[in-house]
């Protein structure tokens, strides 16, 4: 028996948020309607992804050294990093205060968050984040700069290919460039509801 109304309410919320035992089938749709004709014949998905990422004001990084330069140039001296990425990135983060547990009570202390992407879409410059692979969702969404580490082999050519490989994760986020809105007088402003900088470090 529940001892308080609060516990009863929280229990009902938890039950409502629990992953579904079986994912519903995607509705039928015409694949060609969302496939860009320019993608036909593209073989270098990483190069195309970087071009499209730049087109939405994202920042592709080709090496850990470029990551170190980005942090130094912007004087980003404190941030979060997925602990699983530290062994590979440790040298490039020298001189920077790194935390591997994101403290939500100190949101303003983090200049950047470094997390891992599950996949990406070349035709739109989009990265795909999931709860299974993103160590801290808040670290990916709250700091001014989000740096996501992406394996080149995890880049899909287009949206239909990415949807066909969609993981069973209950929470999948597609991020295309920095957070942006044009709600006020049609003026595009970046970094309003999330990171103002979206950088992607490509690794093998």
């Amino acid at each position: 028996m529940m001892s308080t109304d609060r516990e009863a309410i929280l229990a009902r919320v938890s039950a409502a948020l629990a992953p579904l035992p079986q994912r519903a089938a995607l509705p039928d749709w015409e694949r060609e309607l969302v496939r860009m004709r320019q993608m036909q014949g593209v073989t270098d998905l990483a190069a195309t992804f970087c071009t499209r990422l730049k087109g939405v004001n994202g920042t592709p990084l080709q090496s850990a050294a470029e990551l170190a330069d980005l942090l130094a140039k912007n004087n980003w001296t404190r941030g979060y990093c997925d602990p699983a990425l530290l062994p590979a990135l440790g040298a490039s983060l020298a001189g920077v205060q790194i935390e591997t547990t994101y403290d939500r009570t100190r949101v303003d202390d983090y200049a950047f968050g470094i997390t891992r992407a599950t996949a990406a879409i070349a035709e739109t410059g989009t990265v795909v984040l999931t709860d299974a692979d993103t160590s801290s969702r808040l670290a990916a969404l709250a700091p001014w700069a989000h740096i996501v580490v992406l394996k080149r082999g995890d880049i899909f050519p287009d949206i239909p290919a990415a949807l066909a490989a969609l993981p069973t994760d209950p929470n999948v986020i597609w991020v295309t460039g920095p957070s942006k809105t044009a709600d006020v007088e049609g003026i595009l402003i970046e970094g309003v509801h999330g990171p103002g900088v979206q950088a992607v470090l490509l690794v093998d």
Side-chain angles (χ1 to χ4, degrees):
M1 175 178 291
M2 295 299 172
S3 59
T4 66
D5 290 342
R6 178 177 182 276
E7 290 176 344
I9 292 171
L10 291 178
R12 293 182 65 179
V13 171
S14 295
L17 296 177
L20 297 173
Q22 184 175 1
R23 180 181 290 276
L26 294 174
D28 193 22
W29 52 288
E30 178 53 59
R31 271 68 177 164
E32 294 305 319
L33 290 178
V34 297
R35 183 175 283 123
M36 296 182 184
R37 294 180 179 176
Q38 301 94 314
M39 290 300 297
Q40 296 177 355
V42 169
T43 56
D44 192 337
L45 295 180
T48 302
F49 170 78
C50 290
T51 299
R52 299 296 169 87
L53 178 63
K54 290 178 182 177
V56 292
N57 289 339
T59 306
L61 304 172
Q62 301 296 337
S63 68
E66 289 188 12
L67 169 60
D69 291 343
L70 179 70
L71 298 179
K73 180 180 69 176
N74 291 283
N75 196 31
W76 293 332
T77 58
R78 174 180 288 183
Y80 166 89
C81 182
D82 180 339
L85 298 172
L86 266 184
L89 300 179
S92 63
L93 300 176
V96 179
Q97 297 180 54
I98 293 295
E99 298 183 22
T100 55
T101 300
Y102 193 88
D103 185 350
R104 62 174 57 237
T105 67
R106 298 172 32 245
V107 170
D108 291 337
D109 289 348
Y110 302 93
F112 61 87
I114 303 176
T115 67
R116 186 160 64 96
T118 298
I121 303 169
E123 70 174 354
T124 58
T126 300
V127 292
V128 180
L129 309 178
T130 64
D131 280 351
D133 292 327
T134 304
S135 56
S136 170
R137 192 191 313 173
L138 195 57
L141 301 177
W144 175 250
H146 178 216
I147 299 151
V148 61
V149 177
L150 169 69
K151 292 182 179 178
R152 289 182 174 83
D154 289 336
I155 302 175
F156 294 101
D158 48 39
I159 292 174
L163 283 174
L166 201 64
T168 57
D169 195 299
N171 186 47
V172 179
I173 301 173
W174 292 21
V175 180
T176 306
S179 164
K180 58 183 71 69
T181 181
D183 288 349
V184 181
E185 297 185 358
I187 301 172
L188 184 64
I189 301 173
E190 295 186 338
V192 176
H193 305 300
V197 174
Q198 177 68 60
V200 180
L201 173 59
L202 287 91
V203 299
D204 293 321

